[in-house]
Amino acid sequence: MELASKLREILDNEIVADDPETIAAHSGDKWFATHPPEVVVFARSTADVSKLLQFASREKVPVTARGGGFGYVGGCVPARGGIALSLMRMNRIKEINFTDAVAIVEPGVFTGELKAAVRAQKLFYPPDPASMKDCTIGGNVATNAGGPRCLKYGVTRNYVIGLEVVLANGEVLRTGGRVHKNKTGFDLMGLFVGSGRNARRCHRDHAASASASAGTRDFIRGIRHSSAGCRSCAGDFCGGISTVGT
């Protein structure tokens, strides 16, 4: 396909796919709606996402970002065709720091894996969506996921302290940070969390009665979209510490 050929010239050949099986697998989520993209790109870094969105913005090609594809609202269905941007290969937990209770992760990390990893470090990441074994941090940020524990600990929004986002024109935006209290300037993270991606906050294990943050390099490296591209959350996330009663 012409679009796939152009993308292979810009990106590595191995991360661009347009075979029927891959197209079908990225046409929908757990909802009933489906629509095939023209091509699927498996981003491995913020740089990949930035290059892709610069091209898509310039050529007016729609981009739909997706994480685990386990949602039930059709958010990752490429309804306008174009490019399906998969962030599943951006799946590294880059850092878990007990001292300042911060985790830095990429958007393709499964929520259940992050929870287990921080637990091993005597930390606690509260958000627990029912699909935690199959959904990703990037998707959680995009939808502001919660779960039963949100009644006590809050939702994803309460655990995001820093984001690296790729805007629709390919520009990389970094906002927030890994400090526990940061109230200066505009709340740009509030524009992205729940917009359809970032860093997160964890709590220390109940025995420690403290709370920590987990960051996610996922902006999802941004993710939410426009007709000519998408906001891609693919960056790192950080979290802060607070006291939590048991």
Side-chain angles (χ1 to χ4, degrees), residues 26-47:
H26 293 78
S27 296
D29 56 9
K30 294 300 179 180
W31 196 37
F32 64 86
T34 62
H35 191 284
E38 295 180 54
V39 63
V40 180
V41 173
F42 297 91
R44 301 161 302 183
S45 65
T46 300

Side-chain angles (χ1 to χ4, degrees), residues 114-204:
L114 175 61
K115 291 175 70 68
V118 300
R119 182 75 174 186
Q121 299 293 323
K122 305 300 182 183
L123 297 172
F124 172 47
Y125 179 62
D128 60 337
S131 58
M132 69 176 75
K133 293 182 179 179
D134 302 288
C135 65
T136 61
I137 291 299
N140 290 177
V141 173
T143 59
N144 192 28
R149 285 178 176 155
C150 72
L151 294 174
K152 180 176 182 180
Y153 296 107
V155 292
T156 297
R157 183 186 307 279
N158 304 111
Y159 296 90
V160 172
I161 63 172
L163 295 175
E164 182 180 73
V165 179
V166 182
L167 304 178
N169 63 358
E171 180 181 352
V172 179
L173 169 69
R174 294 178 178 83
T175 182
R178 62 188 299 159
V179 296
H180 300 295
K181 189 171 184 179
N182 184 355
K183 299 299 182 181
T184 61
F186 295 106
D187 180 18
L188 296 180
M189 286 187 295
L191 296 175
F192 295 106
V193 181
S195 67
R197 271 133 242 261
N198 10 9
R200 325 202 143 209
R201 173 177 300 160
C202 304
H203 294 300
R204 293 186 187 274

